[in-house]
Amino acid sequence: MAFVLFDKMTLLDLSGFCEAVTWLRMLNAIDDVSWEFVANREFVTDDRGLTMQVRRVLPDLSAYDLLFVPGGLSTRQLRHDPEFIDWIRTANPVPYKASVCTGALILGAAGFLQGKRATTNASAYELLEPYCAEVAKERVVRDGNVFTGGGVSASIDLGLYFVESLAGPDIAKQAQEKLHYPYYRSQEAGPDDGSS
């Protein structure tokens, strides 16, 4: 799994999803689960001032099985950055793509949302419209193998939904218990909060 980091990203977008999906390995739900943090520079500073060092700078993203992009105000500019978007496009053959919040703008600018339903932070619904077939005003959306989450805290729900989609509701429930997160409702039972 490749977790994309960039300057002025929102940390909870990244950490909520990452914490949930990495339980796939901790629970031995899927063989050979591994992940890397990737970025377009060695040092990345989030939107609250936390600086992180990244070991994988501008790797070819095509070898991963999941590409995850968090959000943050800087996505509004990054979606127009040709070098950054060309790098994200190297993930074209990646089987699963996911974003939380305005990370969907990056997936959209790379062309990964064409013909698909997707969601983002409510403040960016109009910005997402040109990139997808339908902007769904929902917390969690799956269209094929593309998963998108709404505002910041939706990252935990999206991560658990991804776990459930790959490993089933029992593993998702175990991960949910490990997170001490009472709000996720299994998608097997059907959404009751606007999720799909």
Side-chain angles (χ1 to χ4, degrees):
M1 300 185 281
F3 297 103
V4 175
L5 282 67
F6 49 85
D7 278 338
K8 300 200 182 306
M9 58 172 251
T10 299
L11 188 60
L12 182 55
D13 288 357
L14 169 74
S15 60
F17 184 86
C18 179
E19 180 68 23
V21 301
T22 53
W23 278 103
L24 287 167
R25 181 169 84 187
M26 312 302 190
L27 296 170
N28 297 312
I30 296 177
D31 292 336
D32 301 322
V33 174
S34 64
W35 55 88
E36 294 183 318
F37 298 95
V38 300
N40 58 337
R41 61 191 60 193
E42 183 180 1
F43 292 95
V44 173
T45 302
D46 81 347
D47 59 8
R48 302 300 197 272
L50 175 66
T51 298
M52 298 159 275
Q53 184 174 9
V54 181
R55 292 192 176 97
R56 300 279 291 149
V57 177
L58 294 174
D60 181 346
L61 299 171
S62 64
Y64 294 97
D65 296 309
L66 166 69
L67 174 77
F68 175 77
V69 183
L73 284 174
S74 61
T75 57
R76 289 161 170 81
Q77 290 76 45
L78 278 175
R79 68 191 170 120
H80 299 300
D81 180 329
E83 290 181 12
F84 185 82
I85 297 302
D86 283 347
W87 172 53
I88 296 296
R89 283 187 181 125
T90 67
N92 190 52
V94 172
Y96 294 99
K97 297 172 181 78
S99 68
V100 166
C101 201
T102 57
L105 299 177
I106 301 300
L107 291 185
F112 298 148
L113 300 181
Q114 287 182 356
K116 296 192 176 294
R117 294 178 76 242
T119 194
T120 187
N121 188 292
S123 69
Y125 286 155
E126 289 183 11
L127 297 176
L128 186 60
E129 285 176 358
Y131 299 120
C132 61
E134 178 188 345
V135 175
K137 297 176 180 178
E138 300 168 14
R139 189 164 176 83
V140 173
V141 173
R142 178 181 185 180
D143 190 329
N145 285 343
V146 174
F147 295 74
T148 53
V152 185
S153 67
S155 62
I156 299 172
D157 297 85
L158 187 70
L160 290 169
Y161 182 38
F162 187 79
V163 168
E164 182 176 343
S165 298
L166 265 61
D170 291 341
I171 297 295
K173 182 168 179 48
Q174 289 179 53
Q176 179 179 4
E177 289 169 356
K178 297 290 186 187
L179 294 172
H180 297 274
Y181 184 72
Y183 308 108
Y184 179 73
R185 185 171 188 272
S186 172
Q187 300 302 299
E188 184 178 75
D192 68 344
D193 62 352
S195 301
S196 72

